[in-house]
Amino acid sequence: MTHAVKKAELHCHIEGAASAALVLAQAEKYNSDISGFISEQQYVWSSFTEFLAAYDGAAALFRSAEDYALLARTYLQSIAAENAIYAEIFVSPDHAAAAGLSSEAYFEGLAEGIAQAKASSGIECRMIIVGIRHLGPEKVEAAARLASTRPHPLITGFGMAGEERFGKVADFARAFDIARDAGLGITIHAGELAGPESVRDALDHVRPARIGHGVRASEDGALTRRIAEAGVVLEVCPGSNLALGLYPDIGKHPFDQLRRAGVKVTLSSDDPPHFRSSVGREYQMAADAWGYDTADLTSITRTAIKAAFVDEQTRSNLLGQLD
Ligand code: ADE
Ligand code: ZN
């Protein structure tokens, strides 16, 4: 039922989008042992900390511009096959540096893969540079300074990922000021591993246009109203939230509750193979759980495209594809 629905994904970490099969091929290429986090063609981890280690382990196997072109192309083509017309990917110069790759080669490789996927499928894509919270404010500020130089035309946003329980949001405010002053779209992971107070801090100190996850704001009525009134868009990733144990089953997930409260909600996959998901599966889960029809799902795509970090010409082209 949902296959034909045009989709848009605002929240996907490119290193987290590497399929187990692709990581196995990379491990053979670099003669590396991945048995600590992949077994029988599946990622294996059993806590958020172990998940981050598996994520880092996979990222360490992408070491050249060509490796990243392959990763971006294969990921984007896979979601174009699910009728995704637009995607934003989080890119992490810190992960590239850890694998010995310069940020220039990293962005060039990713941009090459994005161009190849666009040529073969039509999918449009932009990149959001993220700082990694648990690496500390200095590293996140360095990522923001890099982003503020606008190192590639497809880089249109700045965000922060990583361990939300590390440090205080206020310590990262300067990084976001640098990125905002450079005209980048702003998003921040909050309200995933930590509760409503973390979302409130993000709103107060970062003033984001969008929040990654944000679902735990649903525990606080006043905060939910604030988000709805401010028009802040939530990049919701239900499959990720279930896999990481935030909610026991989709029936307990607050996506529909937030939507009914007037919050602008969108659907994304976060780190799809880690959570055995994809943007197509997220749309299907939402349809199954809450009875959404094609019009409901298309309106979620429209919300995402309206919130996309793209130029107005591209936005209007994408919106035109929904009519
Ligand atoms: N990095 C990759 N996936 C993440 C998530 N779900 N939360 C925080 N940081 C991440
Ligand atoms: Zn994320």
Side-chain angles (χ1 to χ4, degrees), residues 44 50-51 54 65 127 164 166 183 190 218 255-256 296 321 323:
V44 278
E50 271 185 40
F51 154 70
M127 296 186 261
E164 187 186 350
F166 179 95
S218 62
F255 182 91
D256 187 61
D296 295 320
Q321 291 182 49
D323 299 332

Side-chain angles (χ1 to χ4, degrees), residues 147-148 150 155-158 177-186 309:
S148 76
R150 310 300 291 254
I155 294 170
T156 56
F158 178 75
D177 289 342
I178 292 166
R180 198 183 313 97
D181 287 349
L184 292 157
I186 301 293
F309 297 151

Side-chain angles (χ1 to χ4, degrees), residues 11 13 90 161 189 192 213 270-271:
H11 189 123
H13 303 258
F90 292 127
H189 282 62
E192 179 195 21
H213 301 286
D270 206 7
D271 306 279

Side-chain angles (χ1 to χ4, degrees), residues 43 112 241 256 303:
Y43 283 100
E112 175 63 23
N241 299 156
D256 187 61
T303 299

Side-chain angles (χ1 to χ4, degrees), residues 93-94 103 129-132 136-149 158 172 174-176 178:
D94 289 299
S103 61
I129 290 184
V130 285
I132 305 299
E138 282 173 22
K139 287 274 192 196
V140 176
E141 260 175 65
R145 277 196 301 276
L146 172 61
S148 76
T149 67
F158 178 75
F172 299 92
R174 192 154 43 159
F176 286 95
I178 292 166

